[in-house]
Structures are given as structure tokens and as C-alpha cells.
Amino acid sequence: MTTAILSAVAEEQAGLLELLHSPRRLNRAGREFWQGELLGQPVVLGLSRMGKVAAATTATTLIEAFGASRLVFTGVAGGVARGVKVGDVVVATEFVQHDMNASPLFPRYQVPLYDRTRFACDEALSALLSQAVVEGLKTAASQSASSYAAQAGVHRGLIASGDRFVSAAAEVSALQADLQDAGHAVLAVEMEGAAVAQVCFDYGLPFAAVRTISDRADEQAHVDFPKFVTEVASQYALAIIEAFMRKLP
Ligand code: ADE
């Protein structure tokens, strides 16, 4: 059983690559993938890039070309719910696309011809990921020079994806209010998860996702983002995935 580990950006994948046994690099769909073994488990590593279409291409390639039978995603997100602060971690239970709007043909946020608005993560895989987050944060706190990991809150819930880097407080308020009106209380925003969740739904494969909060999706977001990914989120991702691999059946 091959586990696919999708990272959003190369910095997050770098640590995993160092741990990969018998690494083999392969190119498909204009992307680089790495096959090998991580802590005794067969894995394939891929980069989602940014945005829903790019992530869907990566996910589909992981499944079709590399035979991935379960997918796990690590990345960063902008925190939008109250109490979801920079340095916290969100384990997704479900995804919604905040920029999906085919109304009046279909209700707002509904994915046309799927008869559904949210795509759920796999419960069992997400439960393992949640345990791995707690362990991974302990490891990161003991190793890291930054104080984030020791103070990180862990949240579980709905994440919204869309093809926008959200970087204005007013935009967050509008986005949250519109989603809330339709019954969707979201914790965080990012740009890929809902697409991967939909691909996994199409193939009937389990999917789990974890996002470290890099910013509050406000006017400061673009400043916080690159620094945070390199200095904090990459370390979290590595510690979390190591703990996660040890738990996989
Ligand atoms: N990923 C990390 N921060 C984000 C933001 N503010 N908007 C969209 N995706 C993000």
C-alpha cells in the first residue's frame, strides 16, 4: 500500500526527502515525484504547487501513475476563525470551495453534478494524523529555536479552499459571513485541499490533511507567509509526518 505525501511547497518536502530510503526520482505531468521508503512504508512524495487545478493534477498523477492508495497533505493556511492563531495547527475534517458559485443553476458553494458542497476527510486516517500532530508538536518544541510549537493550539474542522491568497481583513469578514450564511463555519483558508479531497472522493481513496497557520489572512499575510513556511511550518510538517508514518497500519 503506497502512501502519497503531498506538500504544498519544496521547503516542506526537503526534510522528508532526506529521510527517504532508496529514493527514485520520476517525472510525470511536468512535475517531479520521489518514490522510496519512509520509516519502512512505501511512499511517493509530490508537490501540489499552489491553487486547486495544480493540486488536482498532482493528486491525480499520484493515484494514476504511482498507485497511491491513501493521500496525506501538509501545508500552511490562513487562520480565519477566532482563536486560530499563527503557529496553531488545523487537522481538516472536511473541505469546501469558497470560490465555487454556479448559482442560480446550483446552490452557492455546491460542486455542480456532485450534489454536495463539502468533501470529507477519512475519519480513521485523520484520527491518526491528529495524534501525530500532538506528538510532532512535542518533537518540534524540543528541537526548535522558535517558541511556536510549544504554544500551538490544535484544531479540527472545516477548511475552505479557493484560488485566492486572502490578504485583507475585510475580505476575511465577507468570506466568513457568506460561508456562515450557508451553514459553513470555517477555521482556515488555503488554496488546494478541497481539490485534493474531491479527487480522492472521485477515486474512493482515503485522504487526510494538516495545515499550520502561517498568517491570519489579513494585510500582514504576505509578509508572514514565506518566512513562516521556511522557519516553522517545514519543521512541523517533518515532525508530524514522521510521527504519522509510525502510526500507519
Ligand atoms: N495559505 C496560507 N495563507 C493563506 C492565505 N492567507 N490565503 C490563502 N492561502 C493561504
Side-chain angles (χ1 to χ4, degrees):
M1 183 178 268
T2 300
T3 305
I5 303 168
L6 265 151
S7 313
V9 290
E11 288 90 338
E12 281 181 274
Q13 199 188 57
L16 293 175
L17 263 178
E18 281 175 26
L19 290 182
L20 197 65
H21 278 249
S22 325
R24 295 180 301 286
R25 193 182 67 192
L26 288 126
N27 278 77
R28 288 279 190 295
R31 289 151 163 72
E32 199 174 74
F33 294 88
W34 290 89
Q35 279 182 309
E37 279 196 7
L38 206 57
L39 300 161
Q41 294 267 3
V43 295
V44 53
L45 311 183
L47 293 178
S48 68
R49 303 190 183 177
M50 288 172 81
K52 296 197 296 307
V53 175
T57 299
T58 302
T60 306
T61 309
L62 284 163
I63 296 165
E64 287 284 357
F66 296 97
S69 46
R70 53 192 173 196
L71 284 81
V72 59
F73 194 111
T74 71
V76 292
V80 297
R82 196 175 302 147
V84 179
K85 60 186 195 305
V86 172
D88 285 0
V89 175
V90 179
V91 177
T93 53
E94 289 178 289
F95 282 95
V96 60
Q97 293 183 40
H98 66 71
D99 55 357
M100 174 59 75
N101 190 352
S103 62
L105 301 181
F106 297 91
R108 188 164 183 194
Y109 304 116
Q110 192 176 107
V111 182
L113 310 181
Y114 279 77
D115 197 25
R116 65 176 61 224
T117 302
R118 301 185 187 189
F119 287 86
C121 296
D122 183 74
E123 273 184 34
L125 206 60
S126 301
L128 291 185
L129 191 57
S130 294
Q131 293 167 18
V133 166
V134 175
E135 287 175 28
L137 285 174
K138 279 194 192 133
T139 309
S142 67
Q143 291 172 347
S144 166
S146 95
S147 59
Y148 281 112
Q151 290 159 24
V154 181
H155 312 266
R156 298 188 78 239
L158 178 65
I159 295 182
S161 310
D163 288 321
R164 291 190 56 76
F165 186 82
V166 182
S167 58
E171 193 180 340
V172 173
S173 302
L175 205 133
Q176 253 185 320
D178 287 352
L179 283 161
Q180 191 67 61
D181 278 353
H184 309 295
V186 300
L187 297 178
V189 289
E190 39 83 305
M191 301 177 69
E192 301 83 20
V196 180
Q198 188 174 332
V199 170
C200 289
F201 174 85
D202 286 337
Y203 283 90
L205 293 177
F207 172 57
V210 57
R211 293 277 180 170
T212 299
I213 301 304
S214 56
D215 60 86
R216 284 285 303 172
D218 56 13
E219 284 73 5
Q220 278 294 308
H222 68 288
V223 183
D224 300 343
F225 180 79
K227 187 165 175 273
F228 188 89
V229 172
T230 321
E231 292 177 10
V232 184
S234 302
Q235 274 141 43
Y236 276 26
L238 181 59
I240 291 168
I241 291 297
E242 271 195 84
F244 178 72
M245 294 311 297
R246 290 209 177 86
K247 294 181 181 303
L248 279 182

